[in-house]
Amino acid sequence: MSAQQQSASIAVQQLTLTLVSFTLVVYDHAITFAQEVTFFWSSPWSPSRILYLSIRYLALAQVCLTALAQIGTAKFYNYPVNWAGVLQWTTLLD
């Protein structure tokens, strides 16, 4: 296996792991959003509330940005992103 093929293989593995991470984080946000609204948005501001919300939404932002970066890497190696497979994962949220 050439060095470029090996690099492309690593990029595909990283993209796969990133998309799985993205799916899990989005799924967690989707299933717990109602509880978050009930328990955190209706209570007064406190340091623990600020910490919880910052960690929760910074993690979401980080996963989204990492996914975009990995998709760009896959395009660099001319690896076709299987959007049908990605969309199949998102249908699990329904």
Side-chain angles (χ1 to χ4, degrees):
M1 182 180 288
S2 71
Q4 186 174 9
Q5 288 174 330
Q6 188 174 11
S7 295
S9 175
I10 291 170
V12 169
Q13 291 171 359
Q14 289 175 345
L15 176 62
T16 303
L17 289 174
T18 300
L19 291 177
V20 168
S21 299
F22 174 78
T23 303
L24 290 174
V25 169
V26 170
Y27 179 73
D28 176 62
H29 278 260
I31 65 173
T32 60
F33 185 72
Q35 293 172 340
E36 177 186 327
V37 169
T38 302
F39 296 115
F40 286 96
W41 290 106
S42 61
S43 64
W45 285 96
S46 67
S48 61
R49 180 180 176 201
I50 294 169
L51 182 63
Y52 170 80
L53 292 174
S54 64
I55 289 171
R56 181 166 169 87
Y57 288 100
L58 286 175
L60 179 63
Q62 186 268 333
V63 168
C64 290
L65 292 175
T66 303
L68 290 173
Q70 289 297 324
I71 290 170
T73 301
K75 287 181 181 179
F76 175 76
Y77 287 108
N78 293 324
Y79 177 78
V81 177
N82 181 4
W83 290 110
V86 172
L87 293 175
Q88 286 175 352
W89 276 100
T90 59
T91 58
L92 294 175
L93 297 176
D94 293 338

